[in-house]
Amino acid sequence: MTPTDPISFQLYSARNFPPDAAVLPMLAACGYTNVETYRPQYEDAEGFRRLLDENGLTAKSGHFALAMAETEFDRVVAVARTLGIETVVIPYIVPEERPTNRAGWEAVGARLAKLSTDFADEALRLAWHNHDFEFVALPDGSYPIEHLLAPGVLWEADVAWIARADADPEPWLKRYAGRIAAVHVKDIAPQGEKLDEDGWADVGDGVVDWARFWPLAARSGAALMIAEHDNPSDLSRFARTSAERMSALAASNN
C-alpha cells in the first residue's frame, strides 16, 4: 500500500445507521476517501453517485450477490460504471447453498471463472470475499477457498474471518500474493467481550495482529484496505477509531 492508496470503508458496517446522506459526510470527516458498496446503494445508483461526488468519495469496489452477477449481468455492469466501481466482489454463499465436497466447490469456482472472463470484457475485475467456512477442510483435505479462487478470480481477503476459522492468515496471504485485490481490515474482541457487537472490535482494539498482517497485505498487492465491523454499536466511534489506526499502520509501513 502506498501513501496515495485510499483508506476505505465497507458500507455494510453502517447498515443500521441510515441514511447514506448522513453517513458519507461523517466518513469523509474521519479521513476515508473510498467506500465499498453493497445492495442498497444500487437501488438508485445515480443518486448515490451524486452523494459520493458531493463528499469527495470514490467507490472502487462493490459487493454483488452471485445470483445478481449471473442473472443481472448487464445491470451490474451499468451500476459499476455509474458508481466508478472497478472490482465486482462476490461476498457470500448462504449455508443451504454451500457445497459439501471438492467437486461442488470446484463447480462454484468454475462459475466465478466464467464471470471473471465476462467482467474482464467490460474492463471490470471479479473477486471473492471470504468468511470462515472457506477455511474449513473438506473431506479430501482441500479447502473451499482453493477452489473458489479459480483462474482469473481475485481475492478480497477478510483476515478476521480467517482467524475466526482458527486458521493463520499469513500463509494464505503469502500464497495468493499478486491475486489479492483488497483486504478487509476488521478486528475480533477478546473472548467474552463485546458480545453486544457480536464479538467484533474496532481496528486495533482486538486480538487480530494487524502489525503483522498489514505489511503482508501491502506486499500482496492489495490496492484497497477496507475497514469493516459487522455490528458496531456506535458507528462514528468505529469509523473514527479505525481510520486513525489504519492511517497509522499505513504510515508505519511506507
Side-chain angles (χ1 to χ4, degrees):
M1 187 170 181
T2 71
T4 59
D5 288 328
I7 296 292
S8 306
F9 188 93
Q10 167 52 264
L11 289 172
Y12 181 79
S13 307
R15 69 193 182 282
N16 295 324
F17 301 90
D20 286 335
V23 170
L24 295 188
M26 182 272 292
L27 294 178
C30 288
Y32 295 98
T33 58
N34 184 74
V35 296
E36 184 168 66
T37 56
Y38 74 115
R39 177 181 44 80
Q41 284 84 50
Y42 310 144
E43 295 170 5
D44 177 12
E46 292 82 4
F48 187 73
R49 176 59 188 262
R50 287 193 295 271
L51 288 176
L52 290 173
D53 292 343
E54 289 168 5
N55 290 282
L57 296 167
T58 57
K60 294 179 180 293
S61 63
H63 282 197
F64 295 84
L66 178 56
M68 182 179 181
E70 290 182 321
T71 65
E72 300 181 73
F73 180 84
D74 291 342
R75 182 183 172 214
V76 172
V77 171
V79 167
R81 288 178 176 159
T82 297
L83 297 183
I85 289 171
E86 300 168 356
T87 303
V88 171
V89 183
I90 308 299
Y92 192 62
I93 295 180
V94 295
E96 57 270 24
E97 295 179 5
R98 292 175 198 163
T100 58
N101 57 32
R102 180 184 187 125
W105 285 109
E106 286 179 338
V108 178
R111 291 162 64 188
L112 294 174
K114 180 183 184 305
L115 278 173
S116 74
T117 299
D118 294 340
F119 279 118
D121 290 340
E122 301 291 341
L124 294 167
R125 305 191 303 172
L126 182 82
W128 176 266
H129 167 271
N130 69 276
H131 288 74
D132 53 350
F133 59 86
E134 295 94 331
F135 296 89
V136 177
L138 297 168
D140 74 336
S142 66
Y143 292 84
I145 193 66
E146 297 176 298
H147 311 305
L148 290 166
L149 298 182
V153 180
L154 301 176
W155 183 22
E156 181 176 77
D158 192 312
V159 171
W161 272 118
I162 300 174
R164 276 209 166 177
D166 294 324
D168 182 0
E170 181 170 348
W172 293 101
L173 292 172
K174 289 180 175 178
R175 175 174 175 179
Y176 289 103
R179 294 183 61 189
I180 300 177
V183 172
H184 271 199
V185 184
K186 62 200 297 184
D187 218 329
I188 301 171
Q191 184 70 30
E193 297 184 15
K194 298 285 186 180
L195 299 182
D196 62 323
E197 300 192 30
D198 297 339
W200 301 107
D202 299 347
V203 175
D205 285 346
V207 299
V208 176
D209 189 359
W210 277 109
R212 176 163 69 107
F213 297 132
W214 187 282
L216 287 170
R219 288 196 294 271
S220 77
L224 297 172
M225 302 294 278
I226 305 169
E228 186 183 44
H229 189 311
D230 284 10
N231 189 25
S233 61
D234 184 328
L235 179 65
S236 61
R237 179 214 72 212
F238 162 66
R240 182 182 64 256
T241 301
S242 298
E244 291 171 354
R245 305 280 171 72
M246 291 168 68
S247 295
L249 284 164
S252 66
N253 285 281
N254 285 323

